[in-house]
Amino acid sequence: MIGTMIEWYDFFIYGFLATSLAAYYFPQTDPIAQTLTAFMAFAIGLFFRPLGALLFGAMGDRLGRKATFMIAIFLMGSATALIGILPGYAQIGVTASVLVFLMRVIQGLSIGGAWGGAASLVAEYVSQEKRGYYGSFTTAAAPLAVVVANGVILLLNFMLGKEAMAAWGWRIPFILSLILVFVSLYLRWKIEESPVFSGMK
């Protein structure tokens, strides 16, 4: 649940800070088009989720749930942190916009694979009678991530003020993902491969 919450935090933080990102990563000729483009980048991650489920699902069936988890969380965390440190439109032009879209594609693929993989691992570990109960914890991670992401942004707004938050503070929640990735990787490193997969192998 904690690992999945971290991944959803990475995925959602973009949406909460999309207006700040719009001003930095997208052309400034038209503010409305700029904001819409930023939200299009958010949406592209959602569109790539099913493809991520197919890709990582097949990978999980061949390599195992644990290896798939590790790859997904590494990709998710790397893409999130890169959004926080990329140069803006003023520095590298349209390349900045393209890179943000690419990072969102990677995030969409990663969350699509990791969420299904987490549910599979839980379902394969617990008894059949308890699968629904314990499986619900991975699903509960998404709304928990919304609360955590909002909490981080509210705390930063309070500590830094609106001006500093708009100027550079918006980068902090993305860079914070590097710490969260290590936490998630550590937690998942401790997990043994599921008995069902080990039996099939």
Side-chain angles (χ1 to χ4, degrees):
M1 180 179 181
I2 293 168
T4 307
M5 185 274 291
I6 290 169
E7 288 165 355
W8 278 112
Y9 165 91
D10 286 354
F11 190 81
F12 285 139
I13 203 76
Y14 179 99
F16 294 126
L17 293 168
T19 52
S20 297
L21 296 169
Y24 192 75
Y25 286 123
F26 299 104
Q28 299 178 354
T29 51
D30 182 356
I32 294 173
Q34 186 183 59
T35 303
L36 289 174
T37 306
F39 280 111
M40 280 174 55
F42 180 74
I44 204 85
L46 295 169
F47 291 135
F48 272 85
R49 272 179 54 203
L51 184 58
L54 290 171
L55 177 70
F56 281 97
M59 191 185 303
D61 288 341
R62 284 196 297 274
L63 302 177
R65 312 299 185 227
K66 183 176 176 178
T68 305
F69 268 152
M70 303 298 269
I71 293 167
I73 190 62
F74 177 77
L75 288 173
M76 174 64 86
S78 300
T80 304
L82 280 170
I83 290 173
I85 61 174
L86 285 172
Y89 190 87
Q91 289 80 39
I92 59 174
V94 74
T95 306
S97 306
V98 171
L99 287 173
V100 169
F101 269 87
L102 179 61
M103 294 307 105
R104 287 299 297 169
V105 167
I106 292 169
Q107 286 185 320
L109 291 171
S110 299
I111 197 68
W115 195 21
S120 297
L121 187 70
V122 170
E124 290 173 359
Y125 251 108
V126 299
S127 65
Q128 193 166 352
E129 297 78 22
K130 298 278 188 178
R131 281 182 184 167
Y133 174 72
Y134 285 108
S136 68
F137 283 89
T138 56
T139 303
L144 180 61
V146 171
V147 173
V148 171
N150 269 309
V152 168
I153 293 167
L154 286 170
L155 183 63
L156 286 170
N157 268 316
F158 178 75
M159 290 171 60
L160 301 175
K162 288 187 178 180
E163 288 185 13
M165 190 67 183
W168 56 270
W170 60 266
R171 291 182 181 275
I172 296 172
F174 291 96
I175 297 169
L176 177 65
S177 176
L178 289 174
I179 298 167
L180 297 176
V181 163
F182 284 116
V183 170
S184 188
L185 285 173
Y186 174 76
L187 291 172
R188 288 179 173 172
W189 186 258
K190 296 276 194 182
I191 296 172
E192 295 293 329
E193 190 55 82
S194 83
V196 173
F197 178 80
S198 298
M200 288 191 301
K201 193 172 180 182

